[in-house]
Amino acid sequence: MNDLLPDEAERWEAFEEIVRDWLKSYGYRPIRTPIVEPTALFVRGVGEHTDIVEKEMYSFEDRLNGEQLTLRPEGTAPCVRAVTEHNMLFGQAQRLYYSGPMFRHERPQKGRYRQFHQFGVEALGFAGPDVDAEHIVMCARLWDDLGLEDVSLEINSLGDAAERATHRAELIAYLQKHEASLDEDGKRRLLTNPLRVLDTKNPALQGMVDGAPKLMDFLGEESLKHYEGVTALLREACVPHKLNTRLVRGLDYYNRTVFEWTTTRLGSQATICAGGRYDTLIESLGGKPAPACGFGMGIERVMLLWAEGMEEGPLSRPDVYIVHQGEAASRLAFRVAEEVRSAGVAAIYHCGGGNFKSQMKKADASGAAFAIVIGDDEVAAEAVMLKPLREQDGQRVEQRKVPLADLAPTLANQLYGIEDN
Ligand code: ATP
Ligand code: MG
């Protein structure tokens, strides 16, 4: 679990701003749900035989009433719970997004943490392939907005429950034939979650799983039509995509479209964003049947890519730093700070005393464009000294006295080029 110190936290905020604008431009609205949910929600929602439920959840018993609770490991099940609980799909569909921390007990490494953060997008109540394509295309736009390179898209179809059942039987038969070569995870999954054996990362198993029956070959007419509907729109939007018949995703609720955006730059933590369609989840969590699809993006991993070439140091700097000495001057300075802030200027009021020289050092270090200097002389003259701290157009600019009444418009002019009429 990470601390984000100010330099990094500012970059996260800058990222979050870009993401919010992007979400708004597609008509998605925020939803916020609690970080703790009943354990049963995730067992039912994510699937009993998934990595998350089998070994990654932070679960505990509420000491006061014995309820089984879990820190959310993902955002889709909570979102669906809330949408159902508040009857939000009554006669309408919803485009929603969430963001925040998720918790999974994993082995920490670069790009993999126990508390990590996601932006997630869910479109609920939409059945057509157009909304699947919308999700993929909007991701492509975000990578573009962020200037990310080396991200590529893999897509697959998991069909419907009946198609998966037929495939599952053949897959189990195939895996049983090769049982001796399976690793421990594979043997355990053989009967509980055989589809997951297909996305094993064990290099020794690659040849064997390559030869396994492919779900794609079991898709019926409707599923194929849906898949082709998605890829046609991707071609329309010029978003390159690769079919990966072994892409199955780690959560049980998916059907038909699944996709992953991966990068070559983060080692084995390659997936920065993943999602797909989950037409049966809402009903299985107690809601009225409704189709849906969505995706989740790992913010830490995206930030590793985005921040790669970025300069270090603060992103935000104050406009002015106010230094002052003497009792009356300090009172005036305090008032001036509030006045310039009312005019939209970001001002740091020096706290902690010291002489002008040491205060000016702090003013310089703050990165402010100007120091406002107030001493006894300024109090008497009802003015302040405005001292530029950085060269303007390569020129050193001298400090000058500005009457109190003129200070806010003068600053606005200097900082934003706004003339006072
Ligand atoms: P992985 O295969 O890397 O474990 P996953 O399939 O478990 O990923 P999802 O549940 O699909 O991941 O979550 C969506 C995204 O959240 C992932 O693509 C990834 O970017 C990010 N993510 C998942 N787990 C972690 C983690 N422990 N630390 C940081 N980011 C994570
Ligand atoms: Mg995982």
Side-chain angles (χ1 to χ4, degrees), residues 51-52 56 104 106 112 196 201 250 301:
D51 277 351
I52 292 179
E56 294 174 357
R104 297 183 193 177
E106 305 198 63
R112 188 177 296 285
R196 285 286 294 179
K201 286 175 180 133
R301 294 185 192 177

Side-chain angles (χ1 to χ4, degrees), residues 104 106 111-113 116 118 201 249 271-272 298 301:
R104 297 183 193 177
E106 305 198 63
R112 188 177 296 285
Y113 312 101
F116 64 100
Q118 284 184 348
K201 286 175 180 133
R249 309 280 308 110
T271 310
I272 58 170
R301 294 185 192 177

Side-chain angles (χ1 to χ4, degrees), residues 11-312:
R11 280 159 181 76
W12 275 57
E13 288 190 354
F15 170 74
E16 285 158 5
E17 245 168 72
I18 294 173
V19 169
R20 285 206 189 95
D21 287 346
W22 162 73
L23 289 163
K24 219 181 271 175
S25 78
Y26 283 86
Y28 285 77
R29 299 182 65 212
I31 184 163
R32 299 186 183 209
T33 63
I35 281 174
V36 179
E37 296 275 358
T39 301
L41 175 69
F42 299 112
V43 177
R44 275 200 291 163
V46 178
E48 211 176 325
H49 300 294
T50 55
D51 277 351
I52 292 179
V53 171
E54 277 180 351
K55 50 192 183 196
E56 294 174 357
M57 293 205 302
Y58 285 96
S59 299
F60 58 97
E61 186 184 291
D62 185 323
R63 233 167 13 112
L64 297 179
N65 60 11
E67 237 186 305
Q68 295 301 320
L69 300 173
T70 291
L71 299 184
R72 67 174 179 203
E74 60 98 50
T76 300
C79 177
V80 166
R81 182 208 41 76
V83 162
T84 302
E85 198 171 311
H86 301 283
N87 217 5
M88 288 170 65
L89 292 179
F90 189 73
Q92 61 188 334
Q94 296 279 352
R95 281 183 166 89
L96 303 172
Y97 74 86
Y98 57 81
S99 86
M102 306 292 160
F103 302 85
R104 297 183 193 177
H105 193 105
E106 305 198 63
R107 194 169 65 79
Q109 47 202 300
K110 185 180 171 192
R112 188 177 296 285
Y113 312 101
R114 290 180 178 173
Q115 175 177 324
F116 64 100
H117 298 74
Q118 284 184 348
F119 262 102
V121 165
E122 316 288 357
L124 305 116
F126 298 94
D130 45 4
V131 82
D132 312 31
E134 172 173 294
H135 284 177
I136 293 171
V137 167
M138 70 192 277
C139 291
R141 179 185 292 277
L142 181 65
W143 314 144
D144 208 49
D145 287 352
L146 295 169
L148 298 194
E149 286 162 4
D150 301 326
V151 247
S152 53
L153 171 66
E154 292 188 344
I155 177 169
N156 192 16
S157 175
L158 299 182
D160 63 20
E163 290 151 9
R164 270 204 305 278
T166 321
H167 168 258
R168 186 187 153 107
E170 294 214 12
L171 179 62
I172 290 177
Y174 176 88
L175 293 174
Q176 275 169 338
K177 258 197 328 212
H178 295 83
E179 194 165 356
S181 61
L182 283 177
D183 58 13
E184 204 181 303
D185 259 348
K187 284 193 179 114
R188 193 164 47 86
R189 293 229 164 88
L190 175 60
L191 293 171
T192 58
N193 199 351
L195 210 51
R196 285 286 294 179
V197 181
L198 293 181
D199 78 345
T200 175
K201 286 175 180 133
N202 185 345
L205 296 181
Q206 299 308 311
M208 191 274 290
V209 290
D210 271 339
K214 296 178 174 49
L215 237 169
M216 256 298 162
D217 299 330
F218 292 76
L219 297 192
E221 204 180 317
E222 283 299 303
S223 290
L224 270 178
K225 210 173 106 200
H226 190 96
Y227 175 76
E228 276 153 16
V230 177
T231 50
L233 287 173
L234 294 183
R235 278 192 296 278
E236 190 70 30
C238 300
V239 173
H241 51 279
K242 203 179 104 195
L243 169 66
N244 173 358
T245 55
R246 279 170 45 187
L247 183 65
V248 300
R249 309 280 308 110
L251 301 84
D252 268 359
Y253 47 62
Y254 290 107
N255 68 298
R256 292 202 172 153
T257 316
V258 287
F259 63 89
E260 284 193 5
W261 289 93
T262 57
T263 170
T264 47
R265 297 196 181 188
L266 295 176
S268 55
Q269 279 54 255
T271 310
I272 58 170
C273 175
R277 181 159 279 283
Y278 53 91
D279 292 332
T280 55
L281 180 66
I282 299 177
E283 184 179 16
S284 74
L285 291 179
K288 274 227 193 82
C293 69
F295 62 89
M297 183 193 319
I299 301 181
E300 280 81 358
R301 294 185 192 177
V302 175
M303 287 306 291
L304 279 168
L305 291 183
W306 190 49
E308 241 178 6
M310 248 186 236
E311 250 177 69
E312 281 175 41

